[in-house]
Amino acid sequence: MGASRRGYLISEQIASELTNHGLFTVPDFAAVGIDDRVTLTGPSVESEDAESETAEPEATTGQAEPRTTGAPAPATTSGDEEEDKGEPIQGQTVGNLPSALRGVVSVTSSANFKEAFTKMQLNGYSQLPVLDGTRNLQGAITWESIAQARYKDSRAPFSQAIVKAHDVSYADHLIDVLSYLEQYGFLLVRDQTKQIAGIITIADVAAEYGATARPFPLIGDLDRQLRRVIAEGLDLQEVITLCDPDKLRNITSFGQMSYGDYQRVLSNQQQWDKLGWPLDRKSFVAASTSCARSATS
């Protein structure tokens, strides 16, 4: 498709192509991170036969079909839904966090403190899920629960340190589970087969927020620096001539310049020479343009 990033428009295009070819992904590609692996598959023979036996031409049930891919619900062409056609349907999901489906280090309910200590220290973890089978979540062991159990009874068995653990689906909206994450500190994640496939913590959400939000203050800093350099080194009237030649924007000061205006000014060889920078103009302009696009994509 020639895309370098996966925005919601690209996701919709992929989902449409999958639907057109009768395909879907497991897990839902839109509910996991861009580097996570998904399986491309189609409807089973049994489901196709059942559909052909029960389908009635001209008949409608009024019920929406369940989503099996990252595609939005079938589009309509009436009312407010048509007006919102270009808006993204699905927000960020639990599965979009890198750790959500990357596997877990766990212990069984028959483990001992020494095994839990070793696994937690080797991996730098503050907690471990207690699993008797990939789907059978018994609870969790944490440094806090160990300390409390041992404080009450120095001979406490391992089972006394197991506390309740909470799990969510990889397809749950991230914003819907934040309150639980804040309350419990961590959540186990189930994949499309209901197996415990990962764990998310407050640190994971903070890291994701930082990766998403960090470009914006950086672009703000770059904006201020470029405005200062242009204001100190160039003539205002010459800048206005370049940025507002038709006088339609009524620019009267450097403070009214946009990021696009900086690009126009810096792209002008005469103005660039006046700044006296020992840099290649085209490379600098290309890099600053790329930064702005990355922050807004």
Side-chain angles (χ1 to χ4, degrees), residues 1 8-23 29 69-72:
M1 294 183 177
Y8 78 89
L9 292 177
I10 295 298
S11 293
E12 287 184 351
Q13 185 179 354
I14 294 171
S16 178
E17 292 293 337
L18 290 172
T19 301
N20 290 340
H21 291 83
L23 301 172
F29 79 90
T69 72

Side-chain angles (χ1 to χ4, degrees), residues 79-197:
D80 295 336
E81 294 182 7
E82 174 65 21
E83 296 178 3
D84 297 335
K85 184 177 179 182
E87 295 299 316
I89 305 260
Q90 178 171 310
Q92 192 171 34
T93 65
V94 171
N96 292 139
L97 294 177
S99 64
L101 298 173
R102 294 263 175 100
V104 290
V105 176
S106 64
V107 293
T108 65
S109 58
S110 60
N112 53 52
F113 285 113
K114 183 179 293 186
E115 180 183 352
F117 289 162
T118 302
K119 288 185 175 181
M120 292 169 75
Q121 289 180 329
L122 285 177
N123 293 282
Y125 294 156
S126 299
Q127 63 280 313
L128 293 174
V130 180
L131 297 172
D132 289 338
T134 55
R135 296 181 177 85
N136 191 4
L137 178 62
Q138 296 295 314
I141 188 88
T142 70
W143 289 123
E144 182 180 358
S145 70
I146 292 172
Q148 289 180 348
R150 288 293 184 88
Y151 178 77
K152 294 177 182 178
D153 180 2
S154 60
R155 299 182 181 179
F158 182 75
S159 60
Q160 293 298 313
I162 298 176
V163 295
K164 186 176 182 180
H166 304 267
D167 61 276
V168 296
S169 168
Y170 81 99
D172 287 342
H173 285 273
L174 184 58
I175 194 170
D176 293 334
V177 306
L178 288 180
S179 60
Y180 300 109
L181 189 58
E182 180 181 11
Q183 181 177 355
Y184 304 121
F186 67 95
L187 295 169
L188 281 305
V189 182
R190 293 188 184 272
D191 64 14
Q192 73 279 0
T193 67
K194 306 301 181 184
Q195 296 186 69
I196 297 297

Side-chain angles (χ1 to χ4, degrees), residues 204-259:
D204 294 320
V205 175
E208 182 70 12
Y209 172 79
T212 302
R214 188 169 182 269
F216 293 98
L218 290 179
I219 288 297
D221 289 341
L222 179 59
D223 180 278
R224 287 187 289 273
Q225 292 288 350
L226 289 178
R227 184 188 306 125
R228 180 183 62 80
V229 168
I230 290 174
E232 291 178 356
L234 302 180
D235 178 75
L236 177 60
Q237 292 305 315
E238 293 182 0
V239 169
I240 292 175
T241 300
L242 286 172
C243 299
D244 188 22
D246 299 325
K247 309 298 182 182
L248 298 177
R249 295 168 55 196
N250 194 29
I251 296 177
T252 58
S253 69
F254 290 107
Q256 294 175 273
M257 294 178 66
S258 66
Y259 198 87

